[in-house]
Amino acid sequence: MKPDSLLLSTALHTGRLILTPSDPHLAPDVDLLIEGLSRSGFLSAPLILENPQPGSGDRAFATGAGFLSLLTFAGCAVRIRDDVRGGRFSHIRIPAVSPHPRLMVGRNTRPPRCVGCRAPLSGWRALVEHWATHPHAGVQCPACGETRPPWLWDWKQQGGFGRAFVQIEEVFPGEAVPTPMFFEQLIRVSGIGWRHFYIQD
């Protein structure tokens, strides 16, 4: 597919639904993933990113005809804004795969909880830069003393780690949920399990 001449604006962000492999160390072949999601109608025409980071490899796509059959939206009168000339609009971004699990968070992200004792990890934001440069760092729970990697803490659905992501833009947190059929499609095209969460810039 050749890039469309439409320009993708990054202004006025509402939020995003993010899908990533359940195991944050795994990453699918991105070209095969895009091909499979295009065949299912989830993706359509490629979009041109506004001010892309040089060498980032990030790609963006308009929503396809199967978009609404693969996501369940809350509310009885769902209206998807997919007109690229209308300011905010729904579209899909697929960033380049990273070499190590990286953390995706937003202004809505709350402290993760220890999966053992449920204590929150206060001050977690001060650790994010360290996690980015030390991909195998462990985090000790301040309450029970258990040490585990940051991706094994409970981030709820407000953040998470991964090497590969499918980002559905302009979706308010909790507004849309991937259907079982969508998860099955992702497993078929990638050979791995997936999960989802929501963030707001």
Side-chain angles (χ1 to χ4, degrees):
M1 292 185 291
K2 292 187 177 177
D4 189 294
S5 62
L6 301 172
L7 188 66
L8 184 65
S9 173
T10 57
L12 303 173
H13 183 256
T14 301
R16 65 177 59 97
L17 161 61
I18 299 180
L19 294 115
T20 190
S22 300
D23 182 337
H25 293 91
L26 299 180
D29 179 298
V30 173
D31 289 329
L32 290 178
L33 178 66
I34 289 170
E35 182 183 332
L37 294 179
S38 297
R39 273 197 317 268
S40 70
F42 186 70
L43 307 177
S44 65
L47 301 172
I48 297 171
L49 290 166
E50 183 179 273
N51 302 321
Q53 295 190 358
S56 69
D58 292 3
R59 292 150 98 175
F61 300 86
T63 59
F67 183 77
L68 288 176
S69 66
L70 295 170
L71 296 176
T72 300
F73 280 81
C76 55
V78 176
R79 185 166 170 256
I80 303 301
R81 299 181 67 164
D82 58 3
D83 183 353
V84 299
R85 296 160 298 182
R88 294 183 294 173
F89 66 99
S90 292
H91 59 281
I92 297 101
R93 287 183 188 239
I94 301 181
V97 172
S98 60
H100 301 287
R102 63 185 173 103
L103 178 61
M104 296 281 277
V105 294
R107 69 177 188 265
N108 62 310
T109 307
R110 300 293 176 258
R113 291 189 172 269
C114 173
V115 296
C117 72
R118 307 304 300 158
L121 182 63
S122 58
W124 66 272
R125 287 190 186 269
L127 301 171
V128 171
E129 189 174 319
H130 177 74
W131 293 338
T133 56
H134 298 78
H136 303 292
V139 182
Q140 185 176 42
C141 175
C144 71
E146 281 289 321
T147 299
R148 58 182 52 86
W151 51 82
L152 291 181
W153 285 68
D154 183 4
W155 293 87
K156 295 290 188 192
Q157 289 185 326
Q158 301 167 337
F161 282 83
R163 293 180 54 216
F165 303 95
V166 174
Q167 303 174 187
I168 297 95
E169 298 289 336
E170 299 304 331
V171 172
F172 191 79
E175 180 184 23
V177 179
T179 63
M181 184 170 64
F182 191 18
F183 281 120
E184 288 170 14
Q185 172 73 13
L186 287 166
I187 291 168
R188 271 198 305 275
V189 300
S190 68
I192 51 182
W194 291 69
R195 63 189 179 85
H196 70 286
F197 57 91
Y198 308 88
I199 63 171
Q200 292 175 296
D201 289 343

